[in-house]
Amino acid sequence: MASEFLFLGLIMLITCSFALASDNSPLQDFCVADPNGPAVLVNGFACKDAKLVQTNDFFFSGLHLKGNTSNAVGSRVTPVTVAQLPGLNTLGISMARIDFAPWGINPPHTHPRATEILTVIEGSIQVGFVTSNPDVRLINKVLQKGDVFVFPEGLVHFQRNVGNGNAVAIVGLSSQNPGVITVANAVFGAKPDIPSDLLAKAFQVDVKVVDQIQSKF
């Protein structure tokens, strides 16, 4: 009986450890990413020798700078993930700045490995996410300066500047490498192309419409 309780306890401990964090918890003070290190297959980057770690491995400068929003969607994301800040390796967090031109959008996308929390620094931003099947319910709200909104991990979500001036948001993410899948790019810009007849059937439109959209990606 005692062994059964021990086994159940271990299962609960393992389950809770996966439920509490998107990324695994570190087993040392830090593990600064070493992208030029040995090709070790780990869930993250190999660690730099702790004796070679410098202050700048934990430092990033640039979130005070406005991103260039002169593009088709009118927004620019400045990420601070493990790729930009090696000290984030194994720590399970990252962040980003999002700049919006008037009526610019951050198109519908997902972060497959992270929950996102957003706070508005400037402007008015409409935010929303869509629940999973079968409800496919839109949860959305217009945020003002100082407001905070959270997007659950893996769900399709978006942001849009609904003001006539620029807007800025800062986001936090529960992974050192949250990943991003922009829905339109993934569906219509995959290489090689997803068959146009398949997409035409999925979206219930003519194949020519799909071909036209795919040509833009």
Side-chain angles (χ1 to χ4, degrees), residues 4-201:
E4 292 179 359
F5 279 117
L6 178 60
F7 176 74
L8 289 173
L10 287 172
I11 293 296
M12 291 177 65
L13 180 62
I14 292 170
T15 303
C16 288
S17 69
F18 281 111
L20 290 174
S22 181
D23 292 348
N24 293 329
S25 298
L27 300 177
Q28 62 282 316
D29 286 346
F30 53 77
C31 172
V32 173
D34 184 5
N36 299 316
V40 181
L41 296 178
V42 295
N43 191 18
F45 290 93
C47 303
K48 180 186 286 190
D49 186 335
K51 297 183 182 65
L52 302 178
V53 168
Q54 304 292 325
T55 300
N56 280 345
D57 289 321
F58 301 93
F59 172 78
F60 175 89
S61 179
L63 287 190
H64 62 295
L65 300 174
K66 179 183 176 181
N68 183 1
T69 58
S70 298
N71 52 57
V73 296
S75 70
R76 176 71 62 185
V77 177
T78 303
V80 187
T81 68
V82 68
Q84 293 79 33
L85 183 55
L88 288 176
N89 196 37
T90 75
L91 298 185
I93 58 170
S94 59
M95 64 186 303
R97 169 178 171 147
I98 312 176
D99 287 277
F100 298 87
W103 296 97
I105 66 169
N106 191 11
H109 61 282
T110 72
H111 299 294
R113 295 179 289 276
T115 295
E116 175 181 337
I117 188 166
L118 174 149
T119 184
V120 178
I121 305 300
E122 178 184 342
S124 301
I125 301 176
Q126 180 186 15
V127 300
F129 65 85
V130 180
T131 64
S132 55
N133 296 349
D135 293 341
V136 199
R137 180 184 172 199
L138 173 62
I139 308 293
N140 78 119
K141 185 175 181 63
V142 174
L143 307 181
Q144 308 298 335
K145 181 177 180 179
D147 289 345
V148 176
F149 196 85
V150 66
F151 306 95
E153 180 174 338
L155 296 187
V156 174
H157 60 282
F158 63 87
Q159 296 104 25
R160 176 172 65 166
N161 180 3
V162 291
N164 294 318
N166 295 326
V168 181
I170 295 290
V171 303
L173 299 131
S174 64
S175 172
Q176 66 184 41
N177 183 24
V180 60
I181 302 171
T182 304
V183 176
N185 296 53
V187 173
F188 296 106
K191 300 300 179 190
D193 291 343
I194 297 176
S196 56
D197 62 319
L198 185 155
L199 292 178
K201 192 168 187 177

